[in-house]
């Protein structure tokens, strides 16, 4: 049969390929190379595939022969691409040559390799790692690749196939943002062209540095990063041997001052003081990590150490940039701590710590004052504890202050401090936290010590004391349950039953026990009547759901998890939708991940606007993107994947965007962005307590080594209240109703402090507002009215801009009114059980709502006054069945069927 034969070019028996002996095309290290790393693997590449013949390999050190290695030994490895590798123990500062017996290797046609018989054919010298004197500069111009790092630099791979190696794309001093080749630099990239992002941990280690005799040895270097991934770590060691596993030595973390992720421009890190390590053999290391989710490319060049006669500029480091005290009654106090360390202090000023507002500081937790001082002798290169005391002097108020840390010659560092004297029974404290593969049995996912991670979570969750926790990346559901039952009395929890690639109908689906899941932990005294559902799914964990586009958008089945509940704050009860999200991460290809995440955000936005247009909603969790601009590399313009939410100011807003992203905060250990967010609907926005959004970095003080033992994300805190007297915007009401051909707007205030003017703004699309007029503020509780005599045909959106005398301003909620459409009355839920929610649009007068049973008898009647936009009607005492809801208003009579279960 024709299929038994293949057409190919003939290879005649007398072709040169079959008669020529195999020859070496390259050696590692190349012949006559100097300064070779002494931990390099020796290898040869032949021009054709070879097999082992008979003979030996002999390595000569300083002219003395070592023990010959028989080529039949298993340590002589025939690798891919015609490569031979073999072991050799090299020492530093030695000269070597290698001899190989003729016939040690041969090709498939029995043609023998001629061998290496001349001592000059493969000779090299190793780097003398006795301690490089200072000053020194490493420009990597002679970096040749294939693991031959110059000047005594070595690399050590903990895991992964990629290693630190040479690149032709070094730093061009005349083009710091350039991408053209410029010799040379060293580079590491955890991305594999075939496999995508791959788990890697790799060290780039300097030669031994002799810092004795220096005054101020100062390290500087240039680095550049592209693509999403963790930053480098900079470490220093005085007990590393110069060879072998660096994890067996003691390494101290240094502040590498690395550039922001995906910045892709050469950035100098300068004046890193090594004066604390004046030893004859000091090693500097750059440690790279990538994961299966992301892997940045990092390039290093022009590493130098100088001996300065003057110290570098002073610098300050504090352990946190914010402290949240939560609740203290007026006249009581709470105390928390943070640490500060000053490097290179000079001038005798030491470190000054000053507090503002209702906050005081102390050096000993005994004597408190508005300011304290650590002398230069106390604080230089030493970690000092600062005690901060919150002492509110008024009830029912939120307090915000600053603790400013300063020293001469350095920029001040501020810690934002917050506390409240508002009774927590009247407020809702909310936390969202990515727990980083919590309890996963896989040691490569999340912190390796799983028992420690669970113990730390058991410490942190009760200490925060929130009413609601939205948690993501919960793997071990039993462990979370144990924490709630044993350490959080009065709390309950609920966990979703789905996750990425967990649909059992998907080929190769993961077991539910191994998946990252979303969960809620809640205070049962505040939150009750729980109802949960997955959003956007087409029947979660069903075969039909695999064809649902949202399955892909939401990380292959990790849908938003919604908990609807009654929230009771001081006797005021509202039904709120809490939506926990864990969005698609920036896995490779990142542009595709960005599009999936963006499409998922659009679907969620449209679904909530359609299904719950008038309901209080809080969306919270790990958004895997910032809201001010995207963190995904390669997106232009750099719009957030949640632009659909940030553009829809009429329906949604984000307190974390304003308070955290735009003020330079970060929500993870490694990255300089906020990717853990809170977004609220327009109906929930008035209940947010201003200045309460906080990244709880201070939880790191509750446990040891938070970032490696607990999570790579910090919890995010927000607070809400339903009592108008507690809210920062002291609007008791704001209404807009039709009055003939005009719109009558009315609002009332319960308190005015420093208020100057109210600006009435109108929009046709809910996003672009312009002024319709102003009303002067009275300066105390008052009622106001404004007439818009020429409303737009169709939709009109109204809001108030409250201007203070110092030109600060806040916005009210947005009210929508339509001219040209009939009055609309909407009922939800249907079927109903305990209550009926009524929403009114385009209703300019009072409306009567009557509930009629099957015999037409009235069983409930409620009159909704003019200006009401929504109301909840209790169905207590009304039996199950089918009823008619009759609504009499300005447009006549409307009826709808209602099922009560």
């Amino acid at each position: 049969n024709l299929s038994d034969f293949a057409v190919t070019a003939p290879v005649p028996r007398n072709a040169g390929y079959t008669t020529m002996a195999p020859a070496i095309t390259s050696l590692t290290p190349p012949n006559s190379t100097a300064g070779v790393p002494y931990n390099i693997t020796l290898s040869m590449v032949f021009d054709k595939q070879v097999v082992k013949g008979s003979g030996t390999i002999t390595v000569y050190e300083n002219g003395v022969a070592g023990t010959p290695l028989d080529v039949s030994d298993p340590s002589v490895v025939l690798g891919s691409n015609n490569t031979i590798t073999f072991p050799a123990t090299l020492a530093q500062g030695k000269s070597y040559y290698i001899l190989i017996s003729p016939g040690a290797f041969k090709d498939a046609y029995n043609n023998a390799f001629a061998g290496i018989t001349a001592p000059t054919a493969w000779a090299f010298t190793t780097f003398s790692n006795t301690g490089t004197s200072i000053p020194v500069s490493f420009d990597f111009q002679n970096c040749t690749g294939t693991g031959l790092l110059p000047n005594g630099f070595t690399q050590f791979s903990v895991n992964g196939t990629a290693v630190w190696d040479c690149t032709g794309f070094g730093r061009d001093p005349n083009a710091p943002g350039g991408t053209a080749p410029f010799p040379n630099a060293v580079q590491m990239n955890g991305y594999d062209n075939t496999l995508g992002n791959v788990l890697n941990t790799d060290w780039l280690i300097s030669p031994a540095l002799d810092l004795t005799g220096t005054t101020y040895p100062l390290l500087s270097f240039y680095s550049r990063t592209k693509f999403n991934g963790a930053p480098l770590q900079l470490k220093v060691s005085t007990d590393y041997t110069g060879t072998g596993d660096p994890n067996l030595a003691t390494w101290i973390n240094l502040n590498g001052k690395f550039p922001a992720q995906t910045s892709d421009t050469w950035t100098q890190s300068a004046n890193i003081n090594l004066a604390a390590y004046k030893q004859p053999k000091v090693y500097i290391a750059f440690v790279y990590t990538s994961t299966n989710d992301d892997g940045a490319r990092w390039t290093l060049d022009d590493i130098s150490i100088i001996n300065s006669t003057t110290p570098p500029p002073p610098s300050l480091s504090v352990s946190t940039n914010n402290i949240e005290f939560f609740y203290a009654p007026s006249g009581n106090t709470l105390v928390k701590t943070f640490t500060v360390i000053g490097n290179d202090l000079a001038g005798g000023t030491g470190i000054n710590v000053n507090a503002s507002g209702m906050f005081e500081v102390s050096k000993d937790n005994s004597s408190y004052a508005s300011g304290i001082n650590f002398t230069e002798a106390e604080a230089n290169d030493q970690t000092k504890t600062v005690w901060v005391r919150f002492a509110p002097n008024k009830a029912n108020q939120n307090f915000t202050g600053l603790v400013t840390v300063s020293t001469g010659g350095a920029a001040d560092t501020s810690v934002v401090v917050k506390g409240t004297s508002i009774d927590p029974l009247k407020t809702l404290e909310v936390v969202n936290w990515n727990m980083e593969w919590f309890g996963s049995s896989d040691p490569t996912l999340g912190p390796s010590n799983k028992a420690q991670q669970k113990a730390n979570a058991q410490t942190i969750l009760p200490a925060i004391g929130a009413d609601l926790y939205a948690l993501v990346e919960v793997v071990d559901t039993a462990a979370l349950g144990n924490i709630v039952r044993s350490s959080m009395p009065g709390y309950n929890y609920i966990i979703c039953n789905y996750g990425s690639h967990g649909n059992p109908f998907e080929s190769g689906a993961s077991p539910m026990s191994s998946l990252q899941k979303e969960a809620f932990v809640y205070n049962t005294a505040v939150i009750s009547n729980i109802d949960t559902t997955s959003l956007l799914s087409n029947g979660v964990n069903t075969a039909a759901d695999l064809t649902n586009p949202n399955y892909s958008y939401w990380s292959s089945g990790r849908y938003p998890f919604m908990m609807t509940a009654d929230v009771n704050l001081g006797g005021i009860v509202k039904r709120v939708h809490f939506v926990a999200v864990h969005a698609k991460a920036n896995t490779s290809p990142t542009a595709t991940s960005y599009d999936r995440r963006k499409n998922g955000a659009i679907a969620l936005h449209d679904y909530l606007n359609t299904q719950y247009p008038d309901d209080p909603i809080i969306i919270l969790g790990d958004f895997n993107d910032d809201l001010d601009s995207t963190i995904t590399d390669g997106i232009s313009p750099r719009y957030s994947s949640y632009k659909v939410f940030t553009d829809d100011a009429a329906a949604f807003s984000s307190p974390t965007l304003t308070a955290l992203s735009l003020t330079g905060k970060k929500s993870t250990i490694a990255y300089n962005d906020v990717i853990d967010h809170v977004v609220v609907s327009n109906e929930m926005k008035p209940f947010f307590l201003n200045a309460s959004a906080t990244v709880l970095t201070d939880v790191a003080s509750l446990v040891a080594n938070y970032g490696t033992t607990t999570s790579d994300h910090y919890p995010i805190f927000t607070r809400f209240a339903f009592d108008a007297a507690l809210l920062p915007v002291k609007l008791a009401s704001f209404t807009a109703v039709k009055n003939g051909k005009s719109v009558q707007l009315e609002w009332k205030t319960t308190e005015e402090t420093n208020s100057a003017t109210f600006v009435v703004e109108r929009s046709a699309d809910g996003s672009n507002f312009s002024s319709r007029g102003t009303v002067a503020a009275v300066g105390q509780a008052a009622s106001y009215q404004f007439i818009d005599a020429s409303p737009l045909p169709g939709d009109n959106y109204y809001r108030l801009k409250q201007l203070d005398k110092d030109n600060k301003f806040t916005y009210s909620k947005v009210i929508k009114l339509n001219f040209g459409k009939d009055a609309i009355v909407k009922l939800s839920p249907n079927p109903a059980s305990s209550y009926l929610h009524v929403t009114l649009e385009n209703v300019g007068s009072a409306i009567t709502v009557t509930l009629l049973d099957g015999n037409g008898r009235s069983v409930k009647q409620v009159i909704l006054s003019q200006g009401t936009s929504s109301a909840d009607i209790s169905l207590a005492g009304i039996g199950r069945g089918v009823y008619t809801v009759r609504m009499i208003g300005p447009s006549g009579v409307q009826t709808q069927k209602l099922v009560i279960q």
Side-chain angles (χ1 to χ4, degrees), residues 265-288:
T265 187
W266 285 106
T267 302
Q268 187 182 34
S269 301
N271 296 322
I272 300 171
N273 193 352
L274 303 178
Y277 314 100
K278 294 183 181 181
Q279 303 293 319
K281 284 191 175 183
V282 178
Y283 293 85
I284 300 298
F286 299 87
V287 184
Y288 173 92

PDB file of all heavy atoms in Angstrom, residues 265-288:
ATOM      1  N   THR A 265      10.785  50.435  32.204  1.00  0.00           N
ATOM      2  CA  THR A 265      11.799  51.458  31.944  1.00  0.00           C
ATOM      3  C   THR A 265      12.911  51.287  32.966  1.00  0.00           C
ATOM      4  O   THR A 265      12.676  50.885  34.113  1.00  0.00           O
ATOM      5  CB  THR A 265      11.199  52.876  32.015  1.00  0.00           C
ATOM      6  OG1 THR A 265      12.178  53.827  31.598  1.00  0.00           O
ATOM      7  CG2 THR A 265      10.734  53.215  33.419  1.00  0.00           C
ATOM      8  N   TRP A 266      14.137  51.568  32.562  1.00  0.00           N
ATOM      9  CA  TRP A 266      15.262  51.412  33.471  1.00  0.00           C
ATOM     10  C   TRP A 266      15.137  52.399  34.622  1.00  0.00           C
ATOM     11  O   TRP A 266      14.956  53.598  34.418  1.00  0.00           O
ATOM     12  CB  TRP A 266      16.576  51.638  32.736  1.00  0.00           C
ATOM     13  CG  TRP A 266      16.961  50.494  31.848  1.00  0.00           C
ATOM     14  CD1 TRP A 266      16.898  50.452  30.484  1.00  0.00           C
ATOM     15  CD2 TRP A 266      17.458  49.225  32.264  1.00  0.00           C
ATOM     16  NE1 TRP A 266      17.330  49.241  30.019  1.00  0.00           N
ATOM     17  CE2 TRP A 266      17.692  48.457  31.090  1.00  0.00           C
ATOM     18  CE3 TRP A 266      17.736  48.651  33.504  1.00  0.00           C
ATOM     19  CZ2 TRP A 266      18.175  47.158  31.131  1.00  0.00           C
ATOM     20  CZ3 TRP A 266      18.230  47.356  33.550  1.00  0.00           C
ATOM     21  CH2 TRP A 266      18.443  46.624  32.373  1.00  0.00           C
ATOM     22  N   THR A 267      15.223  51.865  35.837  1.00  0.00           N
ATOM     23  CA  THR A 267      15.062  52.670  37.047  1.00  0.00           C
ATOM     24  C   THR A 267      16.235  52.392  37.975  1.00  0.00           C
ATOM     25  O   THR A 267      16.573  51.233  38.224  1.00  0.00           O
ATOM     26  CB  THR A 267      13.749  52.331  37.763  1.00  0.00           C
ATOM     27  OG1 THR A 267      12.666  52.548  36.854  1.00  0.00           O
ATOM     28  CG2 THR A 267      13.555  53.202  39.003  1.00  0.00           C
ATOM     29  N   GLN A 268      16.848  53.457  38.494  1.00  0.00           N
ATOM     30  CA  GLN A 268      17.979  53.265  39.395  1.00  0.00           C
ATOM     31  C   GLN A 268      17.520  53.146  40.841  1.00  0.00           C
ATOM     32  O   GLN A 268      16.696  53.923  41.314  1.00  0.00           O
ATOM     33  CB  GLN A 268      18.978  54.415  39.292  1.00  0.00           C
ATOM     34  CG  GLN A 268      20.256  54.156  40.105  1.00  0.00           C
ATOM     35  CD  GLN A 268      21.247  55.287  40.058  1.00  0.00           C
ATOM     36  OE1 GLN A 268      20.857  56.460  39.996  1.00  0.00           O
ATOM     37  NE2 GLN A 268      22.535  54.962  40.066  1.00  0.00           N
ATOM     38  N   SER A 269      18.071  52.163  41.535  1.00  0.00           N
ATOM     39  CA  SER A 269      17.941  52.037  42.984  1.00  0.00           C
ATOM     40  C   SER A 269      19.294  52.436  43.562  1.00  0.00           C
ATOM     41  O   SER A 269      20.293  51.751  43.315  1.00  0.00           O
ATOM     42  CB  SER A 269      17.580  50.609  43.380  1.00  0.00           C
ATOM     43  OG  SER A 269      16.361  50.208  42.777  1.00  0.00           O
ATOM     44  N   ALA A 270      19.335  53.518  44.296  1.00  0.00           N
ATOM     45  CA  ALA A 270      20.615  54.088  44.709  1.00  0.00           C
ATOM     46  C   ALA A 270      20.707  54.216  46.227  1.00  0.00           C
ATOM     47  O   ALA A 270      19.700  54.199  46.943  1.00  0.00           O
ATOM     48  CB  ALA A 270      20.815  55.458  44.057  1.00  0.00           C
ATOM     49  N   ASN A 271      21.969  54.331  46.687  1.00  0.00           N
ATOM     50  CA  ASN A 271      22.278  54.651  48.088  1.00  0.00           C
ATOM     51  C   ASN A 271      21.701  53.646  49.070  1.00  0.00           C
ATOM     52  O   ASN A 271      21.167  54.009  50.115  1.00  0.00           O
ATOM     53  CB  ASN A 271      21.784  56.059  48.435  1.00  0.00           C
ATOM     54  CG  ASN A 271      22.502  57.132  47.646  1.00  0.00           C
ATOM     55  OD1 ASN A 271      23.710  57.030  47.413  1.00  0.00           O
ATOM     56  ND2 ASN A 271      21.771  58.148  47.218  1.00  0.00           N
ATOM     57  N   ILE A 272      21.810  52.355  48.736  1.00  0.00           N
ATOM     58  CA  ILE A 272      21.408  51.301  49.674  1.00  0.00           C
ATOM     59  C   ILE A 272      22.604  51.036  50.581  1.00  0.00           C
ATOM     60  O   ILE A 272      23.638  50.524  50.139  1.00  0.00           O
ATOM     61  CB  ILE A 272      20.963  50.049  48.921  1.00  0.00           C
ATOM     62  CG1 ILE A 272      19.761  50.383  48.027  1.00  0.00           C
ATOM     63  CG2 ILE A 272      20.612  48.924  49.892  1.00  0.00           C
ATOM     64  CD1 ILE A 272      19.368  49.275  47.078  1.00  0.00           C
ATOM     65  N   ASN A 273      22.486  51.385  51.832  1.00  0.00           N
ATOM     66  CA  ASN A 273      23.605  51.421  52.755  1.00  0.00           C
ATOM     67  C   ASN A 273      23.930  50.016  53.272  1.00  0.00           C
ATOM     68  O   ASN A 273      23.095  49.350  53.875  1.00  0.00           O
ATOM     69  CB  ASN A 273      23.280  52.350  53.928  1.00  0.00           C
ATOM     70  CG  ASN A 273      24.497  52.695  54.757  1.00  0.00           C
ATOM     71  OD1 ASN A 273      25.562  52.131  54.564  1.00  0.00           O
ATOM     72  ND2 ASN A 273      24.337  53.638  55.660  1.00  0.00           N
ATOM     73  N   LEU A 274      25.188  49.582  53.057  1.00  0.00           N
ATOM     74  CA  LEU A 274      25.650  48.277  53.517  1.00  0.00           C
ATOM     75  C   LEU A 274      26.607  48.404  54.701  1.00  0.00           C
ATOM     76  O   LEU A 274      27.350  47.459  55.010  1.00  0.00           O
ATOM     77  CB  LEU A 274      26.346  47.536  52.369  1.00  0.00           C
ATOM     78  CG  LEU A 274      25.526  47.325  51.086  1.00  0.00           C
ATOM     79  CD1 LEU A 274      26.368  46.620  50.032  1.00  0.00           C
ATOM     80  CD2 LEU A 274      24.259  46.545  51.376  1.00  0.00           C
ATOM     81  N   ALA A 275      26.585  49.555  55.366  1.00  0.00           N
ATOM     82  CA  ALA A 275      27.542  49.795  56.448  1.00  0.00           C
ATOM     83  C   ALA A 275      27.365  48.830  57.610  1.00  0.00           C
ATOM     84  O   ALA A 275      28.296  48.635  58.398  1.00  0.00           O
ATOM     85  CB  ALA A 275      27.412  51.240  56.938  1.00  0.00           C
ATOM     86  N   ALA A 276      26.194  48.214  57.736  1.00  0.00           N
ATOM     87  CA  ALA A 276      25.972  47.266  58.832  1.00  0.00           C
ATOM     88  C   ALA A 276      26.599  45.909  58.551  1.00  0.00           C
ATOM     89  O   ALA A 276      26.551  45.015  59.404  1.00  0.00           O
ATOM     90  CB  ALA A 276      24.474  47.108  59.074  1.00  0.00           C
ATOM     91  N   TYR A 277      27.244  45.739  57.380  1.00  0.00           N
ATOM     92  CA  TYR A 277      27.768  44.430  56.984  1.00  0.00           C
ATOM     93  C   TYR A 277      29.228  44.533  56.545  1.00  0.00           C
ATOM     94  O   TYR A 277      29.610  44.027  55.494  1.00  0.00           O
ATOM     95  CB  TYR A 277      26.908  43.855  55.858  1.00  0.00           C
ATOM     96  CG  TYR A 277      25.436  43.975  56.126  1.00  0.00           C
ATOM     97  CD1 TYR A 277      24.686  44.998  55.538  1.00  0.00           C
ATOM     98  CD2 TYR A 277      24.795  43.116  57.001  1.00  0.00           C
ATOM     99  CE1 TYR A 277      23.332  45.121  55.816  1.00  0.00           C
ATOM    100  CE2 TYR A 277      23.450  43.245  57.284  1.00  0.00           C
ATOM    101  CZ  TYR A 277      22.728  44.250  56.683  1.00  0.00           C
ATOM    102  OH  TYR A 277      21.391  44.390  56.959  1.00  0.00           O
ATOM    103  N   LYS A 278      30.051  45.170  57.341  1.00  0.00           N
ATOM    104  CA  LYS A 278      31.460  45.373  56.995  1.00  0.00           C
ATOM    105  C   LYS A 278      32.275  44.125  57.311  1.00  0.00           C
ATOM    106  O   LYS A 278      33.040  44.076  58.279  1.00  0.00           O
ATOM    107  CB  LYS A 278      32.006  46.597  57.714  1.00  0.00           C
ATOM    108  CG  LYS A 278      31.372  47.917  57.278  1.00  0.00           C
ATOM    109  CD  LYS A 278      32.011  49.105  57.984  1.00  0.00           C
ATOM    110  CE  LYS A 278      31.381  50.410  57.579  1.00  0.00           C
ATOM    111  NZ  LYS A 278      32.010  51.569  58.249  1.00  0.00           N
ATOM    112  N   GLN A 279      32.096  43.097  56.463  1.00  0.00           N
ATOM    113  CA  GLN A 279      32.775  41.822  56.609  1.00  0.00           C
ATOM    114  C   GLN A 279      33.645  41.575  55.373  1.00  0.00           C
ATOM    115  O   GLN A 279      33.451  42.185  54.315  1.00  0.00           O
ATOM    116  CB  GLN A 279      31.753  40.704  56.771  1.00  0.00           C
ATOM    117  CG  GLN A 279      30.786  40.881  57.930  1.00  0.00           C
ATOM    118  CD  GLN A 279      31.487  40.780  59.269  1.00  0.00           C
ATOM    119  OE1 GLN A 279      32.357  39.932  59.462  1.00  0.00           O
ATOM    120  NE2 GLN A 279      31.129  41.656  60.202  1.00  0.00           N
ATOM    121  N   PRO A 280      34.600  40.650  55.473  1.00  0.00           N
ATOM    122  CA  PRO A 280      35.470  40.393  54.306  1.00  0.00           C
ATOM    123  C   PRO A 280      34.778  39.652  53.171  1.00  0.00           C
ATOM    124  O   PRO A 280      35.230  39.723  52.032  1.00  0.00           O
ATOM    125  CB  PRO A 280      36.619  39.558  54.894  1.00  0.00           C
ATOM    126  CG  PRO A 280      36.065  38.958  56.136  1.00  0.00           C
ATOM    127  CD  PRO A 280      35.079  39.951  56.674  1.00  0.00           C
ATOM    128  N   LYS A 281      33.703  38.912  53.500  1.00  0.00           N
ATOM    129  CA  LYS A 281      32.976  38.196  52.449  1.00  0.00           C
ATOM    130  C   LYS A 281      31.477  38.430  52.632  1.00  0.00           C
ATOM    131  O   LYS A 281      30.830  37.757  53.440  1.00  0.00           O
ATOM    132  CB  LYS A 281      33.298  36.701  52.471  1.00  0.00           C
ATOM    133  CG  LYS A 281      34.654  36.358  51.893  1.00  0.00           C
ATOM    134  CD  LYS A 281      34.806  34.862  51.688  1.00  0.00           C
ATOM    135  CE  LYS A 281      36.124  34.535  50.990  1.00  0.00           C
ATOM    136  NZ  LYS A 281      36.256  33.085  50.722  1.00  0.00           N
ATOM    137  N   VAL A 282      30.969  39.368  51.874  1.00  0.00           N
ATOM    138  CA  VAL A 282      29.549  39.721  51.917  1.00  0.00           C
ATOM    139  C   VAL A 282      28.955  39.436  50.542  1.00  0.00           C
ATOM    140  O   VAL A 282      29.581  39.727  49.509  1.00  0.00           O
ATOM    141  CB  VAL A 282      29.360  41.213  52.289  1.00  0.00           C
ATOM    142  CG1 VAL A 282      27.882  41.583  52.284  1.00  0.00           C
ATOM    143  CG2 VAL A 282      29.987  41.496  53.648  1.00  0.00           C
ATOM    144  N   TYR A 283      27.762  38.864  50.525  1.00  0.00           N
ATOM    145  CA  TYR A 283      27.106  38.508  49.263  1.00  0.00           C
ATOM    146  C   TYR A 283      25.782  39.265  49.138  1.00  0.00           C
ATOM    147  O   TYR A 283      25.021  39.389  50.110  1.00  0.00           O
ATOM    148  CB  TYR A 283      26.838  37.009  49.183  1.00  0.00           C
ATOM    149  CG  TYR A 283      28.091  36.175  49.100  1.00  0.00           C
ATOM    150  CD1 TYR A 283      28.771  35.793  50.251  1.00  0.00           C
ATOM    151  CD2 TYR A 283      28.605  35.795  47.862  1.00  0.00           C
ATOM    152  CE1 TYR A 283      29.936  35.033  50.176  1.00  0.00           C
ATOM    153  CE2 TYR A 283      29.765  35.029  47.771  1.00  0.00           C
ATOM    154  CZ  TYR A 283      30.432  34.657  48.938  1.00  0.00           C
ATOM    155  OH  TYR A 283      31.570  33.918  48.852  1.00  0.00           O
ATOM    156  N   ILE A 284      25.526  39.769  47.956  1.00  0.00           N
ATOM    157  CA  ILE A 284      24.249  40.393  47.613  1.00  0.00           C
ATOM    158  C   ILE A 284      23.508  39.438  46.688  1.00  0.00           C
ATOM    159  O   ILE A 284      24.106  38.830  45.792  1.00  0.00           O
ATOM    160  CB  ILE A 284      24.458  41.745  46.906  1.00  0.00           C
ATOM    161  CG1 ILE A 284      25.232  42.695  47.811  1.00  0.00           C
ATOM    162  CG2 ILE A 284      23.117  42.359  46.510  1.00  0.00           C
ATOM    163  CD1 ILE A 284      24.532  43.042  49.094  1.00  0.00           C
ATOM    164  N   ALA A 285      22.204  39.297  46.896  1.00  0.00           N
ATOM    165  CA  ALA A 285      21.414  38.399  46.044  1.00  0.00           C
ATOM    166  C   ALA A 285      20.123  39.064  45.612  1.00  0.00           C
ATOM    167  O   ALA A 285      19.500  39.805  46.387  1.00  0.00           O
ATOM    168  CB  ALA A 285      21.106  37.093  46.783  1.00  0.00           C
ATOM    169  N   PHE A 286      19.733  38.790  44.373  1.00  0.00           N
ATOM    170  CA  PHE A 286      18.435  39.182  43.832  1.00  0.00           C
ATOM    171  C   PHE A 286      17.630  37.903  43.645  1.00  0.00           C
ATOM    172  O   PHE A 286      18.062  36.996  42.926  1.00  0.00           O
ATOM    173  CB  PHE A 286      18.585  39.915  42.506  1.00  0.00           C
ATOM    174  CG  PHE A 286      19.368  41.193  42.595  1.00  0.00           C
ATOM    175  CD1 PHE A 286      20.751  41.190  42.472  1.00  0.00           C
ATOM    176  CD2 PHE A 286      18.731  42.410  42.806  1.00  0.00           C
ATOM    177  CE1 PHE A 286      21.490  42.360  42.552  1.00  0.00           C
ATOM    178  CE2 PHE A 286      19.451  43.585  42.885  1.00  0.00           C
ATOM    179  CZ  PHE A 286      20.835  43.562  42.763  1.00  0.00           C
ATOM    180  N   VAL A 287      16.468  37.829  44.295  1.00  0.00           N
ATOM    181  CA  VAL A 287      15.674  36.602  44.264  1.00  0.00           C
ATOM    182  C   VAL A 287      14.413  36.835  43.438  1.00  0.00           C
ATOM    183  O   VAL A 287      13.640  37.764  43.710  1.00  0.00           O
ATOM    184  CB  VAL A 287      15.310  36.132  45.685  1.00  0.00           C
ATOM    185  CG1 VAL A 287      14.569  34.801  45.624  1.00  0.00           C
ATOM    186  CG2 VAL A 287      16.563  36.015  46.548  1.00  0.00           C
ATOM    187  N   TYR A 288      14.225  35.983  42.448  1.00  0.00           N
ATOM    188  CA  TYR A 288      13.094  36.077  41.515  1.00  0.00           C
ATOM    189  C   TYR A 288      12.087  34.969  41.809  1.00  0.00           C
ATOM    190  O   TYR A 288      12.462  33.831  42.093  1.00  0.00           O
ATOM    191  CB  TYR A 288      13.589  35.942  40.080  1.00  0.00           C
ATOM    192  CG  TYR A 288      12.481  35.869  39.044  1.00  0.00           C
ATOM    193  CD1 TYR A 288      12.013  37.014  38.420  1.00  0.00           C
ATOM    194  CD2 TYR A 288      11.900  34.647  38.702  1.00  0.00           C
ATOM    195  CE1 TYR A 288      10.997  36.954  37.476  1.00  0.00           C
ATOM    196  CE2 TYR A 288      10.877  34.573  37.769  1.00  0.00           C
ATOM    197  CZ  TYR A 288      10.425  35.731  37.159  1.00  0.00           C
ATOM    198  OH  TYR A 288       9.409  35.666  36.241  1.00  0.00           O
TER     199      TYR A 288
END
